[in-house]
């Protein structure tokens, strides 16, 4: 449970016991193999996140995108009508162009290991600047 956001956060960590050391501000987790690890220490885990399907009322296309993240690089994949239309290695928060692929349904998939703050797609660079 995240006290800041007030939301339950699901993880793929399965511990058999835990101990919260208030003095050192650390959470220790015990696992079935009898190992003990400190929560949120070590290398970040990688993820693959895919947005919901955004459906338009008519056929259209997006020409640019921008991703603001904690650290780069990361991989972004853009799907149009459930078909992979473009893969981009994102190395900074600068906007980038997308190929002209028209469709009715759009999805974005992100792959990385650090926090993403925002993803924006638009039909023009000017529109993206106004987001």
């Amino acid at each position: 449970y995240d006290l800041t956001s007030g939301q339950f956060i699901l993880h793929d960590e399965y511990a058999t016991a835990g101990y919260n050391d208030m003095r050192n501000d650390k959470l220790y987790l015990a696992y079935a193999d009898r190992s003990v690890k400190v929560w949120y220490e070590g290398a970040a885990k990688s993820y693959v996140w895919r947005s919901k399907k955004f459906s338009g009322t008519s056929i259209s296309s997006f020409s640019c995108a921008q991703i603001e993240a904690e650290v780069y690089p990361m991989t972004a994949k853009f799907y149009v009508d459930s078909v992979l239309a473009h893969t981009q290695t994102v190395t900074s928060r600068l906007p980038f162009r997308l190929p002209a692929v028209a469709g009715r349904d759009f999805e974005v998939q992100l792959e990385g290991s650090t926090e993403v703050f925002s993803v924006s797609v638009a039909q023009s660079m000017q529109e993206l600047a106004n987001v």
Side-chain angles (χ1 to χ4, degrees):
Y1 182 75
D2 184 356
L3 293 173
T4 305
S5 68
Q7 297 179 344
F8 284 98
I9 308 297
L10 300 177
H11 298 278
D12 62 353
E13 292 286 323
Y14 299 99
T16 57
Y19 171 72
N20 188 12
D21 183 345
M22 300 295 274
R23 178 175 288 166
N24 295 317
D25 193 27
K26 293 187 183 214
L27 174 62
Y28 294 88
L29 297 176
Y31 296 91
D33 66 356
R34 307 193 99 180
S35 64
V36 176
K37 297 178 184 171
V38 178
W39 175 256
Y40 212 65
E41 283 189 355
K45 294 181 109 179
S46 61
Y47 61 83
V48 174
W49 173 84
R50 192 162 179 169
S51 73
K52 69 176 188 175
K53 187 179 289 185
F54 293 93
S55 298
T57 56
S58 61
I59 293 175
S60 63
S61 68
F62 291 102
S63 68
C64 52
Q66 181 179 24
I67 299 174
E68 294 191 48
E70 182 179 33
V71 177
Y72 302 94
M74 65 182 331
T75 302
K77 295 183 178 182
F78 298 86
Y79 292 84
V80 178
D81 293 337
S82 300
V83 176
L84 179 63
H86 182 65
T87 300
Q88 177 81 29
T89 299
V90 182
T91 58
S92 73
R93 69 179 302 270
L94 294 174
F96 54 91
R97 292 280 180 192
L98 298 174
V101 179
R104 189 177 302 266
D105 299 324
F106 300 91
E107 297 169 271
V108 177
Q109 181 173 301
L110 301 177
E111 300 172 6
S113 61
T114 60
E115 186 174 0
V116 174
F117 304 118
S118 68
V119 177
S120 302
V121 291
Q123 293 179 330
S124 69
M125 285 291 190
Q126 183 177 353
E127 181 184 6
L128 191 61
N130 293 330
V131 173

